Amino acid sequence: MLNQAIANMLIENRHHFMISADMVATVSENNPLSHAFLVLTKVRYAKIPVLDHDSKFKGLISLPMITETMLGLDHISFQSLDTMTVKDVMQTDVETISDPYDLENVLHLLVDNPFIPVVQDGYFTGIVTRREVMKGINNIGHNIDKHFQLEPLASVVEKES
C-alpha cells in the first residue's frame, strides 16, 4: 500500500498523468499494415493504440508485430504490408484502466508498460504514461519538504553513526 502522504501528493497531479486521446497517435484496426508501419516510424513510439471506426479501443500495435509478418526464412517480403490489416497482428490482451483510476494499480502496471490505455465504456479516452508519472514522482522528490517536516527515524540515525 502506498504511503498516504506520497499518494496524496501524487493525486494532486493526477490530471497531468493522462494524455488525452486527441493528442495520442492511433491507427484503425482496418488500416493496412503499411499505414501502421508509416505511423509508427514517423511518431517513433514503440506501440500505439488501435481503435475501431467508433473510437473504441481494440488493442495495441508495434513495429515488431508488423516486421514479424515481413520475415521469411531467407528473405524479407513487403507484400504483407498491403495485404494484411492492423487487426490481423495487433495485441488484444491489453491491460486498460478507467478514469478515475487507482494510482497504486497504475504504478504496478507501469513497471512493465510505457503507458496504460484509459478506456471508458469501451471508448479510448487517453493514456497514462510512465513518463508523466515519473515527472510527478520527481516533483515529490523536489517538494516533499515544502509539505512535510522530515526527520530520520532513530534506527536510521544509529546505523549511519
Side-chain angles (χ1 to χ4, degrees):
M1 182 167 204
L2 278 177
N3 174 284
Q4 195 58 52
I6 300 291
N8 289 343
M9 288 185 75
L10 280 171
I11 288 169
E12 286 176 14
N13 291 316
R14 163 186 248 149
H15 62 281
H16 293 294
F17 297 162
M18 189 171 106
I19 298 171
S20 173
D22 59 345
M23 301 297 293
V24 177
T26 64
V27 292
S28 169
E29 66 180 343
N30 294 317
N31 286 141
L33 285 183
S34 58
H35 176 74
F37 184 83
L38 288 172
V39 171
L40 282 160
T41 302
K42 290 292 184 183
V43 297
R44 297 185 178 164
Y45 293 141
K47 285 184 180 179
I48 57 174
V50 177
L51 311 180
D52 69 8
H53 64 280
D54 292 323
S55 296
K56 288 193 174 184
F57 180 79
K58 293 299 179 180
L60 298 174
I61 186 90
S62 69
L63 277 176
M65 291 174 200
I66 296 170
T67 56
E68 182 66 29
T69 69
M70 299 165 50
L71 301 176
L73 291 176
D74 58 353
H75 70 285
I76 296 174
S77 171
F78 293 92
Q79 183 179 355
S80 63
L81 295 182
D82 292 322
T83 59
M84 295 178 75
T85 63
V86 170
K87 69 180 163 191
D88 295 327
V89 299
M90 69 183 188
Q91 174 188 358
T92 57
D93 60 330
V94 179
E95 292 267 8
T96 64
I97 56 174
S98 57
D99 196 19
Y101 49 84
D102 176 63
L103 194 55
E104 189 165 357
N105 182 44
V106 167
L107 292 174
H108 287 292
L109 291 172
L110 288 175
V111 168
D112 295 320
N113 300 286
F115 67 90
I116 308 300
V118 182
V119 177
Q120 294 294 129
D121 300 320
Y123 292 95
F124 176 67
T125 60
I127 59 175
V128 173
T129 67
R130 185 185 299 152
R131 181 177 193 264
E132 293 303 316
V133 172
M134 289 302 297
K135 286 162 72 175
I137 292 169
N138 185 44
N139 180 53
I140 291 171
H142 285 90
N143 296 304
I144 195 165
D145 59 339
K146 295 176 184 169
H147 298 271
F148 301 96
Q149 182 176 342
L150 302 175
E151 295 180 23
L153 298 173
S155 61
V156 173
V157 173
E158 291 169 7
K159 289 180 183 178
E160 292 177 355
S161 300

